[in-house]
Amino acid sequence: WRSYPLDGDLPGSEAVRRNEVVVVPSRDELVRRYPELAGSSPGDRSLVCIPVSLGEQRLGVISLGFPRERDFDSSQLRFLTAIADTCAQALDRSSALDRATAATEKLSFLARASSELSASLDYRATLTRLTELVVPGLADWCAVQVIEDGALRTLAVAHTDPRAHLQQVKL
């Protein structure tokens, strides 16, 4: 159950597709509604699947199994939904932080690159420093070639592994 299809005939999939809480109060109900799960657990059980979503954006599902047949009242379902909503908000904040961090890193790189590009009129030295900025922040290796006398000439190369750097220069 590490992964299963959203279009599957499963309670978690249904909760996500419909963006609604799915309550299965007994094993008999589970087998009737989701035949694929017949024999999946011994004894009587109940199950609640709560979609984790932000409005109409579905992020996942929280599935809770209980060891006996059970009915859930509206206050219990509101509590479980509040837990799922809190998880959705935490995922959203984490994603927003990741996006903000990536944007900050890009801006920082652009600032450093701009500074390097304007630091010297010696373009060979400037391009060498630029390749050193690119590696390892953006890439494993970077090479800069310019057209001179009708051929591409390598002016600067940087690599995360200095031995690989030497092999590429020989090419």
Side-chain angles (χ1 to χ4, degrees), residues 48-95:
V48 177
C49 297
I50 309 103
V52 176
S53 57
L54 293 167
E56 291 302 312
Q57 179 188 9
R58 277 69 168 227
L59 304 174
V61 64
I62 296 175
S63 298
L64 302 166
F66 299 89
R68 60 186 171 1
E69 187 173 319
R70 156 177 199 170
D71 289 319
F72 297 89
D73 64 36
S74 61
S75 68
Q76 292 168 322
L77 294 177
R78 279 194 311 274
F79 174 73
L80 295 174
T81 300
I83 291 171
D85 290 346
T86 302
C87 289
Q89 292 167 16
L91 288 169
D92 188 46
R93 282 191 307 275
S94 176
S95 178

Side-chain angles (χ1 to χ4, degrees), residues 54-146:
L54 293 167
E56 291 302 312
Q57 179 188 9
R58 277 69 168 227
L59 304 174
V61 64
I62 296 175
S63 298
L64 302 166
F66 299 89
R68 60 186 171 1
E69 187 173 319
R70 156 177 199 170
D71 289 319
F72 297 89
D73 64 36
S74 61
S75 68
Q76 292 168 322
L77 294 177
R78 279 194 311 274
F79 174 73
L80 295 174
T81 300
I83 291 171
D85 290 346
T86 302
C87 289
Q89 292 167 16
L91 288 169
D92 188 46
R93 282 191 307 275
S94 176
S95 178
L97 180 60
D98 289 346
R99 290 189 307 273
T101 299
T104 299
E105 288 171 359
K106 288 177 184 177
L107 287 172
S108 177
F109 174 79
L110 287 174
R112 289 191 314 272
S114 294
S115 177
E116 287 296 330
L117 289 171
S118 65
S120 170
L121 294 177
D122 178 357
Y123 71 95
R124 290 176 187 267
T126 299
L127 293 174
T128 297
R129 286 194 303 276
L130 183 64
T131 62
E132 292 165 356
L133 273 177
V134 168
V135 176
L138 294 178
D140 290 346
W141 67 274
C142 176
V144 177
Q145 292 90 16
V146 296

